[in-house]
Amino acid sequence: MSKTQSTARQKTATKRVGKLTTAITTKSSTRASVLVEQTQGWTFLTNHSHVLILLAQDQSVVLREVANRIGITERAVQRIIADLETGGFIEREKIGRQNHYKILIKKPLRHPIESHRTIGDLIELICEQ
C-alpha cells in the first residue's frame, strides 16, 4: 500500500487561523469525506436551538444527520432531544422504526430576557418557509 493510500484511510484534522475545519475521511470508498466547518468558534444560537430548528425543518430527520449538520456528536444530539422533551418543547412519536418530532410552538423561550417570545417565533425567524 502506498503512503498516499495509507494517508487517505486515516482521519485527518486541519486547523486554519480564524476557522476550524475538520475533515473526516473514512475507510469506505462509498463515502468520500464529511466536512464540517465552523467559523470563529461560537455562534449566536445554542446547539439546543440548532437541533430544534432542524427538527422543525424535517420532523423525521435521522439524529445522525442532525449531528453532522450541526457539527456535534450523535450522543450530544440525543442528550439535547432528551432536554427538549423533558422541558416540554417537543414530543416524540414512534412511527415504525423511526421517530417523528412535534415541536410545541406556543411554548415560551426559557430565559427571562426572551420569554416574551415563543419557540414558534424563533423557528419563524430562522427557517425559510
Side-chain angles (χ1 to χ4, degrees), residues 17-32:
V17 177
K19 283 189 173 183
L20 171 64
T21 303
T22 306
I24 303 169
T25 307
T26 63
K27 254 182 161 178
S28 171
S29 61
T30 59
R31 221 189 316 161

Side-chain angles (χ1 to χ4, degrees), residues 20 25 32 63 67 69 75-77 97 107 120:
L20 171 64
T25 307
L63 296 187
R69 292 195 53 201
R75 182 67 188 122
V77 173
R97 292 177 50 202
K107 187 88 171 173

Side-chain angles (χ1 to χ4, degrees), residues 16-63:
R16 290 187 280 174
V17 177
K19 283 189 173 183
L20 171 64
T21 303
T22 306
I24 303 169
T25 307
T26 63
K27 254 182 161 178
S28 171
S29 61
T30 59
R31 221 189 316 161
S33 68
V34 176
L35 184 65
V36 176
E37 192 171 313
Q38 294 178 332
T39 58
Q40 305 301 327
W42 63 274
T43 64
F44 283 100
L45 300 177
T46 66
N47 287 339
H48 281 66
S49 59
H50 292 150
V51 169
L52 196 61
I53 289 163
L54 290 176
L55 292 178
Q57 291 173 342
D58 181 1
Q59 294 181 349
S60 61
V61 67
V62 179
L63 296 187

Side-chain angles (χ1 to χ4, degrees), residues 82-100:
D83 289 346
L84 293 172
E85 277 186 296
T86 302
F89 295 99
I90 64 171
E91 292 176 349
R92 182 186 338 214
E93 180 185 4
K94 190 92 167 164
I95 299 177
R97 292 177 50 202
Q98 197 171 26
N99 289 321
H100 290 259

